[in-house]
Amino acid sequence: MLERDVHGLRSFFEEASGGPVNITLTTNSRHMVSVRRAASGASVRLHRIFLLAPSEVIEEVSGLLRGKRGRTPLLSAFIGGMEHEIRAHAPPAREVSSGIHYDLREIFDSVNGEYFANTVSAAISWGARRRRQRVRRRTLGSYNRLTGSISINQLLDNPSVPAYYLRFIVYHEMLHAHLGAERKSTRRVWHSKAFREKERMFRDYALVTEWEKTCGV
């Protein structure tokens, strides 16, 4: 695989977009590509793996510079095929587990022993506090398979949130680490039927669903 350089990428993008382009290479394992367009030019942040990308993938990225919307199948497939390289460049996950009311490491270790026979290995941290007072459940936690880390929304570090509910959110993200994703054609399915069945095995699942209906975060 032929490795490109930043100057070559910049020339390609500038020719495609018809204006100046500033490129920043990163090792960010959450955001592979981000584009900002302005009257004076465009700024592109790219993971270093794109120095190894074939021309057709770079062409899809240049489409983003031109404001193209829609699916980018070649880009998605390239990123999926470069997971080993992404992990190799990812900085070690920093763990900040102590909150004001709850300690995530204590919860993680307890859940790990009860449900996973201590087989799940992941860093776990409180995420950045959001300005919104209410968030959807799917934003309460996340698992990054590339860094092997779990992030939990700081809104849950609150005495009004039952301990069993926070344990369930941690359990949910640990399930992602434990089960991974199912492959269906070219898609990854994270919340598969098997995942949902395991999710309902949480000891306080009925309490969790009832609290979400009546209270929520």
Side-chain angles (χ1 to χ4, degrees):
M1 189 179 291
L2 180 64
E3 183 166 346
R4 302 170 182 272
D5 57 32
V6 176
H7 301 295
L9 283 176
R10 183 182 297 113
S11 297
F12 189 98
F13 289 149
E14 288 181 341
E15 182 177 350
S17 65
V21 176
N22 180 61
I23 296 177
T24 302
L25 295 180
T26 77
T27 56
N28 190 321
S29 60
R30 288 184 178 272
H31 304 288
M32 299 291 108
V33 184
S34 64
V35 175
R36 290 187 179 181
R37 296 186 302 276
S40 58
S43 296
V44 183
R45 293 177 63 83
L46 292 170
H47 193 281
R48 295 189 64 85
I49 59 171
F50 285 93
L51 294 176
L52 302 172
S55 298
E56 57 269 24
V57 171
I58 299 301
E59 179 59 40
E60 278 198 348
V61 176
S62 70
L64 301 178
L65 279 168
R66 298 191 297 269
K68 181 180 178 181
R69 296 179 180 274
R71 297 182 63 191
T72 53
L74 299 177
L75 177 60
S76 299
F78 172 72
I79 292 172
M82 295 293 286
E83 285 191 3
H84 178 76
E85 191 75 15
I86 295 169
R87 289 193 190 97
H89 284 97
R94 188 170 69 94
E95 182 167 294
V96 182
S97 62
S98 296
I100 298 173
H101 302 285
Y102 289 112
D103 188 299
L104 291 175
R105 175 47 61 181
E106 290 182 1
I107 294 172
F108 180 97
D109 290 343
S110 174
V111 171
N112 206 6
E114 182 173 354
Y115 295 97
F116 301 102
N118 294 314
T119 59
V120 176
S121 177
I124 186 166
S125 296
W126 292 107
R129 188 174 294 278
R130 297 177 183 270
R131 293 181 181 180
R132 292 181 297 169
Q133 292 302 306
R134 293 185 63 84
V135 294
R136 292 173 292 178
R137 172 175 152 186
R138 68 183 179 88
T139 65
L140 293 180
S142 62
Y143 171 67
N144 187 327
R145 70 183 186 279
L146 299 176
T147 60
S149 60
I150 294 171
S151 177
I152 302 296
N153 196 298
Q154 283 196 39
L155 287 177
L156 297 180
D157 188 24
N158 190 307
S160 67
V161 175
Y164 63 77
Y165 187 78
L166 178 55
R167 282 173 59 85
F168 173 74
I169 298 300
V170 172
Y171 172 74
H172 177 101
E173 301 309 329
M174 292 176 73
L175 269 180
H176 284 309
H178 181 65
L179 295 177
E182 283 189 9
R183 281 280 190 180
K184 288 192 175 180
S185 185
T186 59
R187 296 186 303 115
R188 279 192 178 92
V189 179
W190 287 95
H191 296 113
S192 62
K193 181 180 179 181
F195 181 94
R196 292 305 187 192
E197 289 174 352
K198 287 284 188 181
E199 193 177 43
R200 289 191 290 271
M201 292 174 65
F202 184 73
R203 175 160 45 89
D204 295 313
Y205 186 77
L207 289 174
V208 167
T209 54
E210 181 62 27
W211 190 80
E212 282 186 327
K213 292 177 184 176
T214 58
C215 301
V217 179

